[in-house]
Amino acid sequence: MSEYKPSVDEAQPLDTAAALAEVLDRVAARTFRDDLIDAGLLIPTGVDGLYGRSEVFENVVEAINRLVTQRGADQGAEVMRFPPAMNRADFEDSEYLKSFPNLAGTVHSFCGGEREHHRLLKCLEDGEDWMDNQKPTRVVLTPAACYPCYPVVAKRGPLPPEGRTIDVFSYCFRHEPSLDPARMQMFRMREYVRMGTPDQIVQFRAMWIERGKALIETLGLPHSIELANDPFFGRGGKIVADSQRAQELKFELLIPIESEEKPTACLSFNYHMDHFGEIWKFYTADGAVAHTGCVGFGMERTTLALFGNHGLDVENWPASVREALWGKQ
Ligand code: ATP
Ligand code: ZN
Ligand code: MG
């Protein structure tokens, strides 16, 4: 957006307009990040994509979270809160590693004895690699807020005829370090997860596309809905991504944050078909494999969209936006 114009001396000789746009985007992203940090909204840790958040930032996150709760209050959703980690066996079963091995985060811990401990300390002292005795634990970091809930619900047996709706909220980890403040390594996702028949999932998704648009409109943010695909890994990834698009399994609500041309995905609306139902063997009331879908709200991205579009000072946001977030003041 106009506030974040790069300085002229950072311009490079360029062949095409696309390359120019990309460089401008990159520089703009850096500037927006710097502004967020200077304003104290994000607290840098020295690692790209890993930030602390200020009180003001968190107040916005909490307000958005409340709006999502209000919009979803009629669903009879069951609230489940998991820590930002999950059972490694469930994670392996989920087939996440087939699609996104590059994004996954595993948790390792020191598993040596006295001697190995001495060696570890010596390595640290000498500035050498100390990871020899760090062994994988039974825990991995949660890649998407909905992942831990499928195996848990599956263990309860067949779904009731009306299916189930689960409300989850979690920090998620993805190894995608970036200077773009909207691409973090740890960020929060609020989700509603729907489990049931194909019709129930398709209807849920259509409803949430409308509800998502309405919510974002009350926040005074420009937006569009687009067909999307996940960034599947490797040579086979393109084929899977094409098929995901052909079947219209993923839509995103995009909001321009730093660039009008390349808006950022802030909400996503996903239909997994019977992927999780097959893996965890859960069934509908009439014995068919359950289908699942979810709507995910990117809490940091939606918050950043507000700061990007309405400015860094919440006191100066439009009255209607402040009222939507915090009520009449
Ligand atoms: P992208 O295509 O931008 O990587 P995604 O398709 O990986 O996004 P989803 O997997 O659908 O995103 O995740 C749901 C929501 O979580 C996204 O719509 C977004 O708001 C948020 N999200 C995803 N990745 C990140 C990230 N690295 N940093 C901050 N928020 C994220
Ligand atoms: Zn999900
Ligand atoms: Mg992604």
Side-chain angles (χ1 to χ4, degrees), residues 13-297:
L14 290 156
D15 296 340
T16 63
L20 173 63
E22 202 184 315
V23 169
L24 291 182
D25 273 359
R26 276 213 309 273
V27 176
R30 221 165 22 240
T31 310
F32 183 44
R33 177 177 179 269
D34 290 344
D35 288 350
L36 291 160
I37 291 169
D38 288 350
L41 293 163
L42 291 183
I43 305 158
T45 65
V47 176
D48 291 339
L50 190 69
Y51 302 97
R53 283 89 165 137
S54 74
E55 181 178 354
V56 172
F57 191 97
E58 285 303 292
N59 285 343
V60 178
V61 168
E62 279 171 23
I64 297 169
N65 198 31
R66 266 197 311 272
L67 290 181
V68 176
T69 304
Q70 282 163 14
R71 301 260 167 182
D74 60 345
Q75 299 175 111
E78 178 180 346
V79 174
M80 287 188 188
R81 295 290 180 262
F82 294 93
M86 62 181 287
N87 183 331
R88 173 154 67 99
D90 290 336
F91 176 73
E92 288 161 358
D93 290 345
S94 77
E95 300 185 347
Y96 189 84
L97 291 167
K98 233 191 219 174
S99 302
F100 318 107
N102 51 322
L103 300 179
T106 51
V107 177
H108 290 60
S109 203
F110 174 73
C111 292
E114 203 72 42
R115 207 150 37 111
E116 290 79 13
H117 184 214
H118 281 297
R119 205 160 64 224
L120 184 161
L121 294 179
K122 178 84 172 51
C123 288
L124 278 179
E125 211 178 286
D126 300 345
E128 284 168 12
D129 180 33
W130 58 275
M131 293 275 181
D132 263 10
N133 281 289
Q134 296 296 115
K135 301 289 182 226
T137 64
R138 294 181 58 191
V139 166
V140 299
L141 298 176
T142 302
C146 60
Y147 270 62
C149 83
Y150 304 106
V152 170
V153 174
K155 284 199 186 84
R156 293 180 181 166
L159 297 169
E162 68 280 12
R164 280 188 201 284
T165 304
I166 313 290
D167 166 338
V168 287
F169 183 38
S170 176
Y171 258 102
C172 300
F173 173 87
R174 293 183 187 177
H175 188 233
E176 44 186 3
S178 169
L179 283 175
D180 177 355
R183 188 167 299 285
M184 297 182 170
Q185 295 201 59
M186 296 203 84
F187 56 93
R188 279 159 291 183
M189 230 188 258
R190 173 79 189 276
E191 290 194 55
Y192 288 113
V193 187
R194 186 83 175 106
M195 304 162 175
T197 64
D199 278 355
Q200 286 167 338
I201 312 304
V202 168
Q203 199 249 325
F204 164 87
R205 193 173 63 163
M207 175 182 86
W208 271 106
I209 289 178
E210 290 314 311
R211 288 184 175 189
K213 286 197 293 197
L215 193 159
I216 294 303
E217 263 151 41
T218 68
L219 299 181
L221 297 170
H223 59 85
S224 62
I225 299 282
E226 302 282 346
L227 183 63
N229 63 267
D230 287 308
F232 295 99
F233 183 79
R235 252 182 300 147
K238 169 129 187 24
I239 299 165
V240 186
D242 288 348
S243 137
Q244 188 185 28
R245 274 180 180 267
Q247 296 178 85
E248 303 196 344
L249 299 183
K250 186 180 183 87
F251 289 90
E252 290 177 335
L253 184 148
L254 307 171
I255 306 175
I257 300 185
E258 295 133 32
S259 142
E260 301 282 348
E261 300 76 43
K262 274 206 214 150
T264 304
C266 294
L267 277 57
S268 80
F269 312 89
N270 306 286
Y271 180 19
H272 319 119
M273 300 210 289
D274 61 358
H275 177 77
F276 293 122
E278 281 284 359
I279 288 172
W280 282 300
K281 304 277 169 259
F282 61 113
Y283 300 95
T284 61
D286 55 12
V289 175
H291 282 223
T292 64
C294 63
V295 50
F297 291 80

